[in-house]
């Protein structure tokens, strides 16, 4: 719609008048220069008159174009805020051509494709809920005034033919039917939005325990992986000490052993206590949601309680296995030994 509005810009009388006036002024200027050949005073007067005329045409063209562009951009902003269904309806309405000359009657708003210099004329995009009625201008029967409920003129549409009371009554009747249809469409869209919101709430409700389950699985896998890594590097250090690593110097050997002892054990402690902390925070948040949710059925509440019990059991499992592993292999002493070797 916006592209069509810009394409129609060169076809308006003011634009054509300005362009033709500029070329005509240039032609008259060249003609008068030829007629007044040798008379410098006359040529200066002609030059200034033609320059003022060209500036006047250019200013009219620029002011009208800027005002038209502003109106089109306002309409574009309004159209971008409507729903996708309404945009599809707008394309259909513009193709069907339910219009009166340059005034289109779309599903949700009145669209006026005109280009005029005055403020309340030209391009307009007015929602039907803001329009109360149409009225014929008292001075010019070719002008339709669009009024709101307070009787204020919102816009003026100019036509090539005059209107009578019968045509005005038909247009107002069309406006009434379009407003009623818009209310029905809006009610249908509202009901559809409510149904979609209820469906989203049901999906969200059914998936409420999924993030905690994912967190449980990730935490236990990270804990087991960190324990395997720490044990692997501890065994590697034992093998290096047994073989005495003759190809390394004493300083390089001590640095390598310290690195293998310190970093794997440090990441084991970070992962173990970090997983416990994250599970406690997520479990607390989930518990608050379970306690605050009053609309859960008995089955849903029992399922959420099972997830909480599993989370608590996982926290106890990580603490138990972690404490047993650290006490068996003396993880803290190995980590301190590695730190001193570094």
């Amino acid at each position: 719609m916006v592209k069509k509005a810009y394409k129609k810009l060169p076809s308006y009388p003011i634009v054509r008048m300005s362009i033709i006036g500029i070329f005509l002024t240039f032609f008259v200027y060249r003609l008068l220069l030829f007629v007044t050949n040798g008379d410098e005073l006359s040529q200066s007067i002609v030059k200034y008159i033609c320059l003022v005329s060209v500036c006047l045409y250019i200013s009219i063209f620029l002011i009208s174009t800027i005002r038209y562009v502003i109106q089109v951009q306002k309409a574009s902003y309004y159209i971008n805020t409507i729903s996708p269904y309404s945009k599809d309806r707008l394309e259909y309405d513009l193709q069907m051509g339910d219009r009166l000359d340059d005034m289109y009657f779309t599903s949700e708003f009145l669209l006026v494709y005109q280009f005029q210099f005055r403020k309340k004329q030209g391009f307009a995009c007015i929602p039907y809920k803001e329009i109360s009625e149409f009225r014929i201008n008292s001075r010019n029967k070719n002008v339709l005034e669009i009024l709101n409920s307070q009787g204020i003129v919102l816009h003026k549409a100019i036509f090539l033919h005059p209107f009578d009371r019968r045509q005005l009554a038909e247009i107002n009747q069309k406006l009434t039917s379009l407003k009623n249809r818009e209310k029905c469409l809006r009610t249908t869209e509202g009901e559809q939005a409510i149904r979609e919101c209820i469906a989203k709430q049901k999906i969200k409700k059914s998936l409420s325990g999924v993030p905690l389950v994912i967190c449980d699985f990730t935490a236990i896998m990270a804990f087991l992986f960190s324990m395997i890594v720490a044990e692997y590097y501890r065994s590697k250090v034992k093998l290096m000490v047994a073989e005495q690593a003759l190809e390394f110097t004493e300083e390089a050997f001590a640095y390598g052993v310290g690195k293998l002892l310190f970093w794997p054990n440090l990441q084991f402690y970070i992962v173990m206590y970090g997983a416990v902390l994250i599970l406690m925070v997520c479990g607390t948040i989930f518990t608050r949601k379970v306690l605050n949710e009053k609309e859960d059925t008995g089955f849903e509440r029992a399922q959420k309680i099972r997830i909480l019990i599993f989370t608590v059991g996982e926290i106890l499992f990580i603490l138990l296995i972690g404490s047993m592993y650290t006490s068996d292999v003396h993880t803290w002493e190995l980590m301190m030994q590695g730190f001193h070797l570094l």
Side-chain angles (χ1 to χ4, degrees):
M1 189 204 75
V2 177
K3 292 181 180 179
K4 184 178 179 181
Y6 285 125
K7 287 179 182 178
K8 292 190 69 173
L9 178 61
S11 64
Y12 290 109
I14 293 180
V15 177
R16 292 201 299 263
M17 180 192 71
S18 302
I19 296 173
I20 293 173
I22 291 172
F23 283 105
L24 185 62
T25 303
F26 180 76
F27 175 75
V28 171
Y29 171 69
R30 300 297 298 178
L31 179 63
L32 292 177
L33 284 182
F34 177 76
V35 172
T36 59
N37 188 18
D39 191 351
E40 295 182 359
L41 180 61
S42 300
Q43 289 183 353
S44 299
I45 294 173
V46 169
K47 184 194 307 183
Y48 285 114
I49 291 175
C50 293
L51 183 62
V52 170
S53 178
V54 169
C55 291
L56 180 63
Y57 282 122
I58 292 175
S59 63
I60 292 174
F61 172 75
L62 290 178
I63 292 172
S64 303
T65 305
I66 291 171
R67 178 167 289 169
Y68 184 81
V69 170
I70 291 173
Q71 291 174 336
V72 172
Q73 289 302 315
K74 287 182 179 179
S76 175
Y77 175 77
Y78 172 75
I79 291 171
N80 289 330
T81 58
I82 63 178
S83 61
Y85 173 77
S86 300
K87 290 182 180 180
D88 295 338
R89 288 289 307 174
L90 174 61
E91 295 294 334
Y92 175 78
D93 293 335
L94 293 177
Q95 291 175 4
M96 290 300 293
D98 185 9
R99 64 191 181 106
L100 181 64
D101 288 345
D102 288 333
M103 192 164 64
Y104 289 80
F105 296 92
T106 68
S107 298
E108 292 194 357
F109 52 83
L110 180 69
L111 187 63
V112 183
Y113 271 121
Q114 290 183 348
F115 187 83
Q116 300 293 335
F117 182 74
R118 295 182 180 178
K119 185 176 181 180
K120 291 189 177 181
Q121 297 177 5
F123 186 88
C125 179
I126 309 172
Y128 290 127
K129 60 183 179 181
E130 298 180 7
I131 302 175
S132 175
E133 62 173 347
F134 292 93
R135 185 178 66 187
I136 301 174
N137 188 272
S138 57
R139 297 181 181 179
N140 190 351
K141 302 297 182 182
N142 293 33
V143 178
L144 275 183
E145 296 179 348
I146 304 169
L147 287 77
N148 61 7
S149 57
Q150 287 80 27
I152 300 173
V153 177
L154 299 174
H155 195 76
K156 294 181 181 179
I158 301 174
F159 299 89
L160 298 176
H161 56 84
F163 290 92
D164 53 24
R165 295 188 178 276
R166 181 182 61 81
Q167 293 173 325
L168 180 64
E170 292 177 356
I171 295 173
N172 283 319
Q173 185 177 1
K174 179 188 283 290
L175 173 66
T176 304
S177 63
L178 287 170
K179 291 176 75 172
N180 293 332
R181 187 176 70 176
E182 183 200 5
K183 289 180 181 179
C184 295
L185 290 174
R186 189 168 296 171
T187 303
T188 304
E189 290 180 1
E191 293 175 352
Q192 181 66 23
I194 292 173
R195 287 195 292 268
E196 291 178 357
C197 183
I198 293 173
K200 288 180 180 178
Q201 288 179 354
K202 288 182 178 179
I203 295 173
K204 185 177 179 181
K205 192 176 180 181
S206 62
L207 299 177
S208 60
V210 173
L212 184 58
V213 173
I214 294 174
C215 184
D216 291 343
F217 177 77
T218 305
I220 192 65
M221 293 303 294
F223 169 72
L224 295 175
F225 178 76
S226 65
M227 188 168 61
I228 292 171
V229 170
E231 182 63 22
Y232 170 75
Y233 282 108
R234 190 176 69 86
S235 302
K236 191 173 181 180
V237 168
K238 282 185 177 181
L239 184 63
M240 289 177 64
V241 172
E243 295 178 354
Q244 290 296 323
L246 297 176
E247 66 272 14
F248 296 101
T249 62
E250 183 177 355
E251 183 179 354
F253 178 74
Y255 178 77
V257 171
K259 184 169 64 173
L260 294 178
L261 287 176
F262 177 72
W263 294 112
N265 290 310
L266 178 64
Q267 63 88 25
F268 170 75
Y269 278 109
I270 291 174
V271 172
M272 183 177 71
Y273 291 112
V276 170
L277 180 62
I278 291 173
L279 289 176
M280 290 178 65
V281 172
C282 294
T284 303
I285 295 173
F286 189 71
T287 304
R288 291 184 60 185
K289 288 183 179 179
V290 172
L291 295 176
N292 293 331
E293 188 65 48
K294 304 299 183 183
E295 298 179 358
D296 284 343
T297 61
F299 175 76
E300 292 174 345
R301 187 174 292 273
Q303 187 177 8
K304 292 179 179 179
I305 291 173
R306 290 192 195 100
I307 295 174
L308 283 174
I309 294 173
F310 177 77
T311 304
V312 173
E314 185 175 345
I315 293 173
L316 296 176
F317 172 80
I318 292 174
L319 291 175
L320 177 63
I321 299 300
S323 60
M324 290 176 60
Y325 176 75
T326 54
S327 62
D328 287 343
V329 301
H330 305 287
T331 308
W332 182 260
E333 289 80 0
L334 293 176
M335 187 176 71
M336 290 294 99
Q337 183 183 355
F339 177 76
H340 291 299
L341 291 175
L342 288 175

